[in-house]
Each structure stands twice: as structure tokens, then as C-alpha cells.
């Protein structure tokens, strides 16, 4: 493949043609003018023309190879394009679901103020504490076996402490915002 600029290449080719024609006699030149086949043969025999033909053939073979490769990839391209379209549709669906859930979450958040949630959580913690005290009373009155008492009491107290910790955290959040 020539990397000579096109104008320089044309000037060079012209010089080659002139140098060949300069060495011909007048009758040889007249013969070329009279016989197009001889002129065509002279042109075809030029090294530059041979190189250009070779370059052209090489480019044709290269283009054919690339075209065949591209055609061989067509099925894979179509499959991937369909997969992309399907995935995009799925993502759009998920995006819509997220928007809906966000809207629902925001609407629920606006319906119940934090101080109301705090009061409800404190009430539940107090109820759970009362339940653990009732379990203690049941043990003292022998209404409950020791093994059953231990299991129930530990579970109830654990729940009560978790509720109290959550209430305390919610209290901090509620009053740190104001």
C-alpha cells in the first residue's frame, strides 16, 4: 500500500510514462496512436499499473475476508441485540416498580409522623414488659413450670429490650431533626 500523497504519485507516474515515450521513435509513437491495443499493452506493462492491480486484488481479498467474517457474526449479533432489547425491557419494568415502591414509601412516610411511630413503639415495649411481669407472677403462683417460664421470659425480655432500643433510637432521630 503506497503512502505517497496522491498528487505526488500522479506526478511520479506521469514522469515514468514520459520517460518511456521519450525513448520511442516517431514511427513507434505513431504505431501506438494508431493501435489502441499496443497502447493498452504498454500501459499494462508499466510497473506502477502492475503494483496498482496487485494492490487492488489484495484489497478485494481483504474486503471479502472481512465481509465473510461480518456475515458469520450476524447470527450472534442478532441474538445479542434481542437479548439487549429483552434485558432493557426487564430493566424498564424494574425501574417502574422502584418508582412505584418509592411513591408508596413516600406516601406511607407522609401518613405517619415519626412522633406517632415513637409513641406506638414505646407502647409496645411497655406491653411486652407487662407480659414479662405477668410471667413472673405466673411462676410465683405456680401456674407455670420453671422450664417453660425460662424460655418464655427470656424471649419476652429480649423482645422488650429490642423495642426499647428501637424506641430510643427513634427518639434520637425524631428530636435531632427538629
Amino acid at each position: 500500500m503506497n503512502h505517497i500523497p496522491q498528487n505526488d504519485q500522479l506526478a511520479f507516474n506521469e514522469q515514468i510514462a514520459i520517460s518511456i515515450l521519450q525513448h520511442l521513435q516517431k514511427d513507434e509513437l505513431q504505431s501506438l496512436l494508431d493501435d489502441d491495443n499496443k497502447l493498452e499493452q504498454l500501459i499494462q506493462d508499466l510497473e506502477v499499473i502492475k503494483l496498482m492491480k496487485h494492490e487492488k486484488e489484495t484489497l478485494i481479498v481483504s474486503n471479502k475476508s472481512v465481509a465473510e467474517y461480518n456475515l458469520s457474526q450476524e447470527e450472534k449479533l442478532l441474538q445479542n441485540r434481542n437479548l439487549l432489547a429483552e434485558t432493557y425491557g426487564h430493566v424498564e419494568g424494574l425501574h417502574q416498580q422502584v418508582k412505584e415502591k418509592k411513591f408508596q414509601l413516600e406516601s406511607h412516610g407522609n401518613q405517619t409522623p415519626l412522633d406517632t411511630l415513637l409513641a406506638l413503639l414505646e407502647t409496645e415495649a411497655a406491653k411486652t414488659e407487662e407480659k414479662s411481669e405477668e410471667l413472673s407472677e405466673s411462676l410465683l403462683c405456680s401456674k407455670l413450670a420453671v422450664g417453660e417460664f425460662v424460655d418464655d421470659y427470656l424471649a419476652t425480655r429480649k423482645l422488650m429490650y429490642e423495642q426499647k432500643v428501637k424506641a430510643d433510637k427513634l427518639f434520637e432521630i425524631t428530636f435531632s431533626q427538629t
Side-chain angles (χ1 to χ4, degrees):
M1 316 273 165
N2 278 331
H3 297 289
I4 301 172
Q6 190 172 7
N7 289 340
D8 293 343
Q9 183 70 35
L10 289 174
F12 179 72
N13 292 342
E14 186 178 310
Q15 287 175 354
I16 292 173
I18 290 173
S19 70
I20 290 173
L21 294 175
Q22 282 178 341
H23 297 313
L24 296 177
Q25 299 296 323
K26 184 177 180 183
D27 58 332
E28 292 173 323
L29 287 172
Q30 189 60 45
S31 167
L32 285 175
L33 284 175
D34 293 340
D35 189 358
D36 287 342
N37 289 334
K38 281 185 180 180
L39 183 59
E40 181 68 28
Q41 187 59 44
L42 177 67
I43 293 171
Q44 294 301 322
D45 288 342
L46 290 174
E47 195 62 36
V48 174
I49 300 298
K50 289 179 182 177
L51 285 173
M52 289 172 68
K53 280 184 178 182
H54 177 69
E55 214 172 289
K56 178 183 173 183
E57 290 170 5
T58 304
L59 286 173
I60 289 171
V61 169
S62 174
N63 284 345
K64 183 180 178 183
S65 173
V66 170
E68 287 172 352
Y69 174 76
N70 287 344
L71 287 174
S72 73
Q73 297 299 311
E74 183 178 21
E75 180 70 27
K76 186 176 181 181
L77 176 68
L78 291 174
Q79 288 174 348
N80 286 339
R81 184 172 44 185
N82 291 338
L83 179 62
L84 176 63
E86 182 180 312
T87 303
Y88 182 76
H90 181 70
V91 167
E92 282 295 312
L94 291 175
H95 184 258
Q96 188 61 34
Q97 287 178 0
V98 166
K99 286 168 90 175
E100 290 170 5
K101 299 238 186 245
K102 181 180 176 188
F103 177 76
Q104 289 173 355
L105 185 62
E106 287 172 350
S107 67
H108 286 307
N110 293 337
Q111 291 175 355
T112 310
L114 290 178
D115 53 349
T116 304
L117 289 175
L118 177 62
L120 290 172
L121 195 53
E122 288 173 339
T123 303
E124 285 301 313
K127 286 181 183 178
T128 306
E129 188 171 13
E130 283 181 33
K131 183 179 178 184
S132 69
E133 288 176 13
E134 288 173 6
L135 287 172
S136 297
E137 292 291 323
S138 295
L139 178 68
L140 292 175
C141 295
S142 300
K143 295 180 183 175
L144 199 59
V146 174
E148 188 179 342
F149 165 77
V150 170
D151 292 339
D152 290 347
Y153 186 78
L154 289 177
T156 305
R157 292 302 283 187
K158 179 181 173 188
L159 178 62
M160 187 233 9
Y161 283 119
E162 287 174 354
Q163 289 170 336
K164 281 189 175 188
V165 167
K166 288 177 184 178
D168 290 344
K169 284 291 182 186
L170 188 58
F171 179 80
E172 289 174 19
I173 292 171
T174 302
F175 291 104
S176 69
Q177 289 179 352
T178 57

